[in-house]
Amino acid sequence: MANKYDGLARSIIAAVGGKANIEDTKHCITRLRFTLKDESAADDAGIEAMDGVVKVMHAGGQYQVVIGTHVGEVFEAVIDALEHGGEPAGAEGGERIAGEAGEPAAQAAPAHKKTFVNVAIDLISGILQPVLPVLAAGGMTKGLLSLAVFFGWLSKDSGTYTVICSFADGIFYFLPIFLGLTAARKFKINEFVGAAIGASLCFPAMVNIASTADALGSVLTGTPFEMSYHATFFGLPIVMPQSGYTSSVIPVVLAVWFASVIYKKLEASTPSAVRFFIVPMVTLLVTVPLTYLAIGPVASIVTNGLSLLLQSIYEIPMVGGLLCGAFLGGVYQVMVIFGLHWACVPIVLTNLSVLGFDAVLSGREVCTFAQTAATFAIFLKTKNAKLKQIALPAAIAGFFGTTEPCIYGVTLPKKTPFIISCIASAIGGGFVGLMGVKKFTSGFTGILGLPIFVDPSGVEGITNVIWLSVGILITMAISFVGTWLTYRDDEVEASA
């Protein structure tokens, strides 16, 4: 079926150096993400001049083309163009690989430089991105349920509440299974081996072991990372968090990476007659015990250490919340540009799993509204018809939590509005942190994300929503007024 973005897709492919220069391609909420053999072969200026393209970014070891919220349609057109002539697309779902079969890779093309940070960001984004839509859906549903209970529209004992909770809570409880699947896809092994590793971390007998068996001992006694063990594996202690590994991120990702090493070696050396069942069986027999004995505990210590560091700053008397909120508010939009914001996701999920809430990172919630306000101020003030056409839909998307069109299409190219929005976010984020605003589940940002700040226990009710809303209003007012007072059209723009 013809796609209205076919022309744009083919133009982008040609401008990034053609099909032979593309190792793989995928997409997130607003961006096409290419891994190119040679990024210098791509025509940045030519791509940015195309109608339908907002911006080109080099981040996280990827060549990113910012499209907007309709990126899924453009992605499908790109895949159709790459597959034309029968070349396989490779991985299914949110990631397709070009050049895996068909024409050979260009041997002379230099490999793009991969740093540890670039690889880490690419892994985190590639594994978490496919799951974010359902995480957002589950988080907002839980927030709406909390709101319904708070206002007396639903009872927690009702069948209606339980049925809705079955998926809203289930998404987070069984998160390792989803991440196991996407991690296996990322590490290029059988997806269901990854899902099986995730399922082992959610197995009820293991999850409930701390509450059904007496403690046999503890490790790291006397430190903030002290953990008890309630069972052994051939005499070795099985050390795990009190709540198990449900809702966790890092343990399953590391476990699947380790499994991928074993899986690929076995696949290459096992006779084809028994490969079908021997490879996954041996991979799981080795990986799952090692995950409980070593990978899981180490990952928990590292993740909890990061959370502990931020939590320690947050708990500095009088100014901790203010410092955390102001810092995150001020730098979060810059982190988005470089893809570093993905590093916050495991910390949020860890806090939600261990504490039942997250207050440390609440300061970042105002950033989307800072971008929205600055973009809307430019929309009202500019006389450039093309900029108006970009700014209004960007502001609307930003209000509902997607700020890339605001950043790359409007504020960042103008520089001063972007700086003003960061300053406004630091002030608003500092206020939010100072007031100790907590979120009680994961979910989307923007106006639809407010329900996740409703306390499901009813103790704090909508107090967090009220204080967050005040912080948002402070942020938007500073961002809007600051941009309105400082923005000027360029002469060329004014005559456009």
Side-chain angles (χ1 to χ4, degrees):
M1 181 179 293
N3 186 318
K4 64 180 180 179
Y5 296 109
D6 285 342
L8 174 61
R10 294 182 185 278
S11 296
I12 291 174
I13 292 171
V16 297
K19 185 164 56 175
N21 195 37
I22 300 174
E23 288 186 352
D24 66 65
T25 180
K26 53 195 172 187
H27 75 92
C28 60
I29 298 175
T30 59
R31 312 181 200 184
L32 292 173
R33 295 171 177 258
F34 293 96
T35 300
L36 303 180
K37 296 182 177 72
D38 179 13
E39 288 193 8
S40 67
D43 180 8
D44 292 12
I47 295 175
E48 289 185 344
M50 296 177 187
D51 287 338
V53 173
V54 177
K55 185 76 175 175
V56 167
M57 299 295 300
H58 298 259
Q62 297 174 333
Y63 188 86
Q64 302 179 7
V65 182
V66 184
I67 299 294
T69 52
H70 56 288
V71 67
E73 297 175 74
V74 180
F75 172 76
E76 290 302 325
V78 168
I79 294 305
D80 287 342
L82 290 173
E83 291 178 341
H84 184 69
E87 182 177 37
E92 294 298 323
E95 180 175 347
R96 314 277 184 94
I97 300 173
E100 187 174 302
E103 65 179 83
Q107 298 298 318
H112 57 274
K113 184 178 180 180
K114 291 186 176 181
T115 65
F116 173 78
V117 173
N118 284 346
V119 171
I121 292 171
D122 177 62
L123 285 177
I124 293 172
S125 62
I127 293 169
L128 285 170
Q129 182 64 51
V131 186
L132 285 183
V134 292
L135 285 180
M140 286 191 292
T141 301
K142 289 177 70 175
L144 292 172
L145 277 176
S146 299
L147 205 59
V149 170
F150 176 78
F151 286 112
W153 301 333
L154 272 181
S155 167
K156 280 190 174 183
D157 299 324
S158 69
T160 302
Y161 183 92
T162 303
V163 168
I164 297 175
C165 262
S166 68
F167 80 85
D169 279 329
I171 289 168
F172 293 93
Y173 188 90
F174 296 107
L175 182 61
I177 298 177
F178 300 127
L179 295 182
L181 188 147
T182 59
R185 180 186 298 165
K186 185 68 178 176
F187 295 124
K188 296 179 174 57
I189 64 171
N190 186 296
E191 295 176 353
F192 295 101
V193 170
I197 293 171
S200 72
L201 296 179
C202 299
F203 189 65
M206 294 301 296
V207 173
N208 298 324
I209 196 169
S211 59
T212 58
D214 295 330
L216 302 178
S218 63
V219 297
L220 301 176
T221 306
T223 73
F225 306 104
E226 180 177 349
M227 291 182 286
S228 299
Y229 61 92
H230 299 75
T232 60
F233 182 81
F234 290 118
L236 299 174
I238 300 174
V239 181
M240 54 192 297
Q242 185 72 20
S243 58
Y245 293 109
T246 59
S247 303
S248 63
V249 175
I250 302 300
V252 70
V253 172
L254 289 179
V256 175
W257 168 79
F258 178 81
S260 72
V261 176
I262 299 174
Y263 187 96
K264 291 172 183 177
K265 290 183 181 299
L266 288 172
E267 197 170 39
S269 59
T270 305
S272 58
V274 294
R275 186 182 302 154
F276 177 77
F277 63 91
I278 287 293
V279 172
M281 182 180 72
V282 174
T283 300
L284 291 169
L285 278 173
V286 173
T287 302
V288 171
L290 189 64
T291 299
Y292 274 111
L293 293 173
I295 296 174
V298 171
S300 296
I301 290 172
V302 173
T303 306
N304 290 341
L306 290 173
S307 298
L308 182 64
L309 176 63
L310 287 174
Q311 192 72 34
S312 298
I313 297 173
Y314 181 83
E315 291 176 353
I316 294 174
M318 303 295 292
V319 297
L322 176 65
L323 291 176
C324 264
F327 174 75
L328 280 169
V331 304
Y332 193 74
Q333 294 165 91
V334 179
M335 294 172 67
V336 169
I337 293 173
F338 293 101
L340 296 173
H341 62 300
W342 290 103
C344 294
V345 177
I347 296 174
V348 172
L349 293 176
T350 297
N351 286 341
L352 292 175
S353 175
V354 175
L355 303 174
F357 63 87
D358 174 63
V360 177
L361 297 172
S362 293
R364 67 178 183 160
E365 302 296 330
V366 301
C367 295
T368 58
F369 298 96
Q371 285 293 331
T372 300
T375 302
F376 189 63
I378 292 173
F379 165 74
L380 293 178
K381 197 166 185 182
T382 184
K383 294 181 174 61
N384 184 325
K386 184 176 180 179
L387 183 56
K388 279 184 177 290
Q389 290 175 353
I390 295 172
L392 183 58
I396 294 172
F399 192 68
F400 287 97
T402 303
T403 57
E404 281 88 346
C406 291
I407 294 174
Y408 302 125
V410 184
T411 62
L412 189 60
K414 303 298 180 184
K415 296 184 179 64
T416 300
F418 182 80
I419 294 171
I420 290 172
S421 69
C422 289
I423 294 171
S425 296
I427 296 171
F431 174 83
V432 169
L434 182 64
M435 303 312 297
V437 172
K438 303 182 184 71
K439 68 190 313 180
F440 296 90
T441 182
S442 183
F444 208 52
T445 56
I447 193 66
L448 295 180
L450 291 180
I452 67 178
F453 291 85
V454 178
D455 185 356
S457 69
V459 175
E460 297 185 44
I462 60 171
T463 302
N464 293 286
V465 177
I466 294 172
W467 286 125
L468 176 59
S469 299
V470 174
I472 289 170
L473 291 175
I474 291 172
T475 303
M476 293 186 74
I478 295 171
S479 186
F480 182 90
V481 173
T483 303
W484 179 270
L485 294 176
T486 59
Y487 180 78
R488 300 290 184 275
D489 274 331
D490 296 333
E491 289 186 8
V492 174
E493 289 183 340
S495 60

